[in-house]
Amino acid sequence: MWDKLRAHHAKVADRRFESLVDADRAADFSAQAGDMLLDYAKTNIDVEGRALLIDLLERAGVAAKREAMFSGKPINETEGRAVLHTALRNLDGDPVFVDGADIMPGVLETLARMEDFATDIREGRFAGQGGKITDVVNIGIGGSDLGPAMAVKALAPYHDGPRCHFVSNVDPADIAGVLRQCDPATTLVIVASKTFTTIETMTNARTAQAWMGEVVSDTGAQFAALSTAEDKTTDFGIDPSRVFGFEDWVGGRYSVWGPIGLSLMIAIGPQAFKAFLRGGQAMDTHFRAAAWHENLPALLALVGIWHNQVCGYATRAVLPYDNRLSRLPAYLQQLEMESNGKGVSMDGADLEVPSGPVVWGEPGTNGQHAFYQLIHQGTRVIPCEFLVAARGHEDDLHHQHQLLVANCLAQSEALMRGRTLDEARAKVADRFEGAELERQAKHRVFPGNRPTVTIAYPQLTPFVLGQIIALYEHRVFVEGAVLGINSFDQWGVELGKELATALQPVVEGKSGVEGKDGSTAALVGFLQRNGV
Ligand code: F6P
């Protein structure tokens, strides 16, 4: 299936895709889900290339795999689990079966308990031992941190609950910096961990417990837990009434829609949280119903496959022109790289094409004054994905928002058009001549022909944030399904964890470096001589 795409790429690789971009292309190479627009006109994908990509997707059986996911089949085969984060935003409660049992009553009951708890906190009925809760500290890492941390920041204009803080790193600098800002008597600590065994989270949770214990008599009363391991939360001393459970069919990096989103719900309130769920649900409906050439997640995936597996561009930049999405690139790093950073297909065979790409990024316009130089003139092509809202939330500063939008559009235009040597010469002809003119002009050439996609939406509301996250989740799903990999396990994180556990006594000096490689032993030695 890949050969035809490779042959097509070879045929069109040297073409300047700007030549394709006539008035009709914008309509033909874009699609809408509700009022969210995906424009992929500024890529080298043409009608034939798109047909080949859709053929690839059909041959990979993506439609059947999609339905297997939504209907609760155990598609996470290496862990024997269903993949049903979509059930968490199935607000209509349409039945979804796992092992013959409808999971929706349980999902909706937990959601209702979260709403009651969040409302009690926001309205002061649940208080700390020093009064109304002023601060919420979410302790979690990876999927138990990035989702709510990213979303709380993204939805700051809707934030009318207590302050929310996020502690993830085992580096004591992280928790110390957060606890310094809080009063233990009016703080709620949420321990967010699917497994309730993650060493960073459990270490930070115990640190928070000790901090609170210096001031309040009953620390357990100001702790809540979000986990699949309810027995372990009880052992930790958290009352079951403040434990919000979920099942193993919710992957960590897909978990913001359920209990892991509790801090977000406390921050913005249950109604806004449900609007966020409805945005995700709307994208689910679109993903299941829209034809491939109108299907945003499928198209975004096909663009990704074209750039990564076919053109060989190893990274993609996600560049939100929406400052409150500053954590979106980090969130997508986990979502995309933990899901599709796999070298073997479901049946254990080596992949015949590269695995998912490196994902990175920063908000625009900041990035423009930092790394865009390389995107414009470096020797590697980096496909860019821009996100931009028609309106911000600062109505009195709308002209500033318009400048932001102009910058976003200018970047994709510049990356496509570039600047020729003749144009560069004309720019400096009044200052230089002869060989110096040639030399100076060369530095001002932009190769152009660099692909971008733009995702545009009216405003970053809770609903739209839900659409964006679900869009990327399903994009990851389609890319993984085409590669034939399991996007829902993460065995690649195991080895480092095992070695860290074994190294801790070595670092502490309780055991020696025997058996360690020379480099690790020397590093331990240096750090010990310097006080570790
Ligand atoms: O180590 C990776 C990982 O398992 C992620 O997949 C997960 O999101 C994170 O650790 C945190 O896990 P937990 O929620 O179980 O603490």
Side-chain angles (χ1 to χ4, degrees):
M1 352 192 239
W2 296 99
D3 290 346
K4 281 189 186 163
L5 270 163
R6 287 193 195 107
H8 179 68
H9 175 242
K11 213 167 61 188
V12 302
D14 295 332
R15 164 179 71 193
R16 290 197 70 86
F17 67 78
E18 188 184 359
S19 65
L20 305 174
V21 187
D22 59 15
D24 296 336
R25 183 168 162 92
D28 194 12
F29 286 76
S30 68
Q32 261 185 258
D35 46 17
M36 174 171 285
L37 174 79
L38 167 69
D39 177 297
Y40 63 106
K42 293 191 184 88
T43 67
N44 199 14
I45 299 173
D46 55 18
V47 171
E48 189 184 342
R50 182 173 59 192
L52 289 170
L53 287 163
I54 290 177
D55 186 47
L56 181 76
L57 184 150
E58 281 175 347
R59 282 168 191 260
V62 174
K65 290 179 182 175
R66 178 184 59 189
E67 285 325 294
M69 174 173 74
F70 277 100
S71 61
K73 302 279 179 316
I75 62 166
N76 173 358
E77 291 179 18
T78 61
E79 295 181 306
R81 293 174 182 171
V83 173
L84 278 173
H85 47 279
T86 50
L88 300 175
R89 52 199 188 221
N90 175 18
L91 286 179
D92 307 322
D94 296 344
V96 179
F97 294 95
V98 174
D99 297 332
D102 182 9
I103 58 169
M104 285 316 301
V107 167
L108 295 180
E109 189 195 316
T110 302
L111 180 63
R113 283 185 58 228
M114 286 168 64
E115 284 181 63
D116 288 346
F117 187 52
T119 306
D120 284 351
I121 291 169
R122 288 163 57 85
E123 294 180 358
R125 282 191 294 277
F126 176 90
Q129 284 147 81
K132 191 172 177 184
I133 296 293
T134 55
D135 295 82
V136 172
V137 178
N138 184 87
I139 297 179
I141 196 165
S144 298
D145 165 73
L146 286 163
M150 178 272 290
V152 164
K153 184 144 203 214
L155 299 179
Y158 302 86
H159 191 156
D160 54 5
R163 283 185 294 268
C164 285
H165 311 265
F166 294 88
V167 173
S168 53
N169 204 323
V170 76
D171 182 339
D174 198 7
I175 193 157
V178 166
L179 297 184
R180 208 173 289 135
Q181 301 168 47
C182 304
D183 174 355
T186 57
T187 295
L188 173 75
V189 175
I190 298 176
V191 186
S193 176
K194 180 175 167 178
T195 55
F196 230 69
T197 56
T198 304
I199 192 151
E200 291 93 331
T201 299
M202 299 324 296
T203 304
N204 277 323
R206 280 189 288 273
T207 299
Q209 208 174 29
W211 165 80
M212 196 174 274
E214 285 177 14
V215 174
V216 307
S217 50
D218 182 3
T219 55
Q222 282 176 229
F223 268 66
L226 320 173
S227 185
T228 57
E230 296 185 40
D231 50 333
K232 296 195 174 72
T233 63
T234 309
D235 293 348
F236 192 85
I238 301 177
D239 191 87
S241 64
R242 288 185 307 283
V243 176
F244 299 88
F246 54 105
E247 303 295 327
D248 65 6
W249 38 257
V250 180
R253 53 194 174 274
Y254 299 89
S255 61
V256 65
W257 312 97
I260 294 294
L262 181 64
S263 53
L264 174 65
M265 188 193 267
I266 295 170
I268 65 174
Q271 288 317 314
F273 186 81
K274 283 207 222 170
F276 166 70
L277 298 186
R278 271 192 291 276
Q281 187 184 20
M283 190 56 75
D284 294 341
T285 304
H286 168 84
F287 178 49
R288 291 178 87 171
W292 294 132
H293 66 282
E294 291 170 353
N295 192 310
L296 263 64
L299 290 169
L300 197 56
L302 294 181
V303 172
I305 289 167
W306 170 257
H307 287 147
N308 181 24
Q309 281 81 15
V310 182
C311 301
Y313 307 145
T315 86
R316 64 173 163 243
V318 179
L319 308 165
Y321 277 68
D322 206 326
N323 201 53
R324 294 193 176 101
L325 287 178
S326 61
R327 295 290 285 157
L328 183 69
Y331 176 81
L332 293 180
Q333 274 174 344
Q334 184 190 19
L335 181 64
E336 302 210 16
M337 294 163 74
E338 198 166 74
S339 296
N340 288 343
K342 319 273 163 73
V344 295
S345 58
M346 198 69 97
D347 59 9
D350 291 339
L351 287 193
E352 54 166 310
V353 290
S355 60
V358 176
V359 177
W360 60 284
E362 273 287 317
T365 61
N366 294 8
Q368 289 175 205
H369 300 273
F371 54 80
Y372 277 39
Q373 164 65 41
L374 184 144
I375 296 179
H376 281 287
Q377 286 190 315
T379 53
R380 291 184 183 85
V381 175
I382 298 169
C384 297
E385 298 182 357
F386 297 106
L387 292 103
V388 66
R391 296 189 314 282
H393 287 83
E394 290 65 32
D395 291 342
D396 51 333
L397 296 173
H398 186 61
H399 65 287
Q400 214 167 309
H401 185 80
Q402 288 170 326
L403 179 59
L404 176 75
V405 172
N407 269 275
C408 178
L409 300 181
Q411 290 300 323
S412 64
E413 192 184 350
L415 284 162
M416 176 176 70
R417 280 176 43 182
R419 183 194 279 153
T420 64
L421 185 56
D422 279 348
E423 288 167 339
R425 273 196 206 101
K427 279 254 164 213
V428 290
D430 57 336
R431 279 181 286 155
F432 306 105
E433 56 185 27
E436 186 59 8
L437 172 61
E438 288 307 294
R439 189 168 78 94
Q440 292 287 348
K442 282 275 310 218
H443 287 272
R444 290 160 171 81
V445 169
F446 288 63
N449 216 23
R450 305 211 155 178
T452 61
V453 300
T454 301
I455 296 164
Y457 43 87
Q459 191 181 36
L460 187 60
T461 59
F463 184 90
V464 166
L465 183 68
Q467 283 180 300
I468 292 173
I469 299 175
L471 166 65
Y472 274 96
E473 284 178 351
H474 293 320
R475 180 258 193 106
V476 166
F477 172 82
V478 173
E479 290 193 5
V482 168
L483 295 177
I485 61 180
N486 182 359
S487 299
F488 301 102
D489 62 10
Q490 56 282 321
W491 300 111
V493 302
E494 296 294 314
L495 183 58
K497 285 186 195 174
E498 279 168 28
L499 293 182
T501 306
L503 263 166
Q504 191 174 358
V506 180
V507 170
E508 289 171 354
K510 292 180 183 154
S511 58
V513 294
E514 299 77 33
K516 290 288 159 202
D517 63 86
S519 165
T520 305
L523 286 166
V524 168
F526 174 86
L527 291 165
Q528 285 179 336
R529 287 193 299 282
N530 283 279
V532 71

